[in-house]
Amino acid sequence: MISLSKKITSKKFFQAVGRRKCATVQIRIWTATKKESVKTGYFFINGVTANEYFKNNSNSMGIIMAPIEKVKSEEKFIVSAKVSGGGTQGQAEAIRHGMAKVLVEFFPNFRKKLKKVFQFKNIYPLSETFIL
């Protein structure tokens, strides 16, 4: 069974918070070797691997892997996420948000690539006003 060792957690990491609907996540990434990377299963959510956490929802795995796949960094990082609140879809989208933020913190040039993919448009035009 794969787990985060003290050797990994004692190294320097980057951290960000992601939110979506009622779900909140704290993401940490470490640089990895080829044996220990996201591609080889070192993506942990609440202490278990991502595959185990989202075992009944393969769509969620695609959502959480999207930012790291977009910047082609599956073999460069080890990821740990502590997620709470919301349902599985909201949690997956919160993880995606947190992953994008932490990748930009790690390497600011990733921002352009990630912004193109995950750009959300405003539903209402700016000229509209709402009277309550």
Side-chain angles (χ1 to χ4, degrees):
M1 180 169 175
I2 300 172
S3 65
L4 279 173
S5 67
K6 289 194 183 262
K7 180 182 170 187
I8 295 169
T9 57
S10 64
K11 295 195 301 187
K12 185 180 180 212
F13 60 87
F14 290 85
Q15 179 174 320
V17 173
R19 292 185 180 89
R20 176 73 174 123
K21 297 182 181 179
C22 293
T24 304
V25 66
Q26 178 187 6
I27 298 273
R28 289 182 178 180
I29 62 169
W30 293 266
T31 54
T33 62
K34 290 206 179 212
K35 289 182 183 178
E36 303 169 333
S37 67
V38 170
K39 197 169 190 174
T40 58
Y42 280 80
F43 193 127
F44 299 96
I45 302 171
N46 293 345
V48 297
T49 63
N51 289 329
E52 290 176 31
Y53 193 81
F54 290 119
K55 62 183 167 194
N56 295 330
N57 193 350
S58 61
N59 184 39
S60 295
M61 283 301 296
I63 291 170
I64 66 171
M65 294 298 289
I68 206 161
E69 287 173 351
K70 181 60 184 173
V71 295
K72 297 177 177 74
S73 299
E74 299 98 332
E75 295 177 352
K76 296 180 183 173
F77 299 111
I78 297 169
V79 179
S80 173
K82 291 183 182 176
V83 66
S84 64
T88 55
Q89 185 72 21
Q91 287 180 351
E93 291 174 4
I95 292 170
R96 178 180 66 186
H97 179 236
M99 281 295 299
K101 285 174 69 173
V102 78
L103 287 170
V104 169
E105 185 180 323
F106 178 77
F107 191 64
N109 290 344
F110 286 160
R111 181 173 167 81
K112 283 186 179 182
K113 285 184 180 180
L114 293 171
K115 190 167 181 166
K116 284 180 186 177
V117 176
F118 304 114
Q119 187 175 25
F120 297 103
K121 302 204 188 269
N122 192 355
I123 296 171
Y124 304 104
L126 294 175
S127 60
E128 279 189 29
T129 55
F130 296 96
I131 301 172
L132 297 175

